[in-house]
Amino acid sequence: AFWDKKNTKRHKEFISFIGRHCISRERADLWLQENKVDKEKIKSLWDWILEYSDDPEALSEFGFWMNAKNGAFDNEIPWLADRIVKTLEKTKGAVEWEIRLMDSLPILADTVPEETLKILRLYFTGTTFKKRPGYFRTDIGTVELFNKLYKNPDEKMQKEIYKLINELLPIGN
């Protein structure tokens, strides 16, 4: 009944609360064990919401869930990367509190570089990012991430990173 009633604010707060309370906290894996929270149910919930909801504003709150560092999904990087891609596709690149996503990107790049490239493309070329006025800040970690992916021995990966960088230049230079 909660999801049947269209209410972006409530849906946003629900997704955000679960993410902040259960997933974004330090040592979320231990917290889940100590509190007997079934991680598989949380994963199923993310899948269910992605399948059931088409509200990009509410789905952008999954930013709190995109945690590959000291989190609930440390040992499930391919699964996490896939959910991040699906979420960013539905939100057109919008994510609230993207710090967990940005912190997770180097970890994702080591395990699933192709998915990481998709995430970067969705995030940096998404409608929300394009709406930002003027320049966007690129820190050394982002530059290192692009370098790491570019140094991948796969020529296709190198070409795609090169292409993405060229797409980004007119957006925020």
Side-chain angles (χ1 to χ4, degrees), residues 32-69:
L32 293 172
Q33 287 176 352
E34 291 169 1
N35 291 281
K36 297 179 177 71
V37 176
D38 185 354
K39 180 170 46 172
E40 293 304 315
K41 287 185 179 179
I42 291 177
K43 289 168 57 179
S44 294
L45 177 63
W46 193 347
D47 288 335
W48 186 88
I49 294 171
L50 281 176
E51 182 179 327
Y52 190 77
S53 177
D54 288 322
D55 184 347
E57 190 177 342
L59 295 175
S60 70
E61 294 295 330
F62 274 114
F64 286 100
W65 296 50
M66 298 175 181
N67 186 12
K69 186 177 178 183

Side-chain angles (χ1 to χ4, degrees), residues 71-129:
F73 308 122
D74 287 2
N75 298 321
E76 303 176 58
I77 300 302
W79 178 89
L80 177 61
D82 182 62
R83 291 333 175 271
I84 294 171
V85 168
K86 288 178 179 177
T87 302
L88 292 175
E89 286 172 344
K90 288 195 116 180
T91 66
K92 297 189 177 17
V95 62
E96 289 294 325
W97 209 69
E98 71 271 359
I99 192 164
R100 287 294 185 205
L101 171 62
M102 300 314 279
D103 288 347
S104 296
L105 287 172
I107 297 165
L108 296 172
D110 288 337
T111 309
V112 286
E114 295 84 11
E115 295 297 302
T116 306
L117 177 59
K118 288 179 190 175
I119 291 166
L120 289 169
R121 180 175 302 286
L122 288 164
Y123 178 70
F124 283 118
T125 64
T127 54
T128 301
F129 205 83

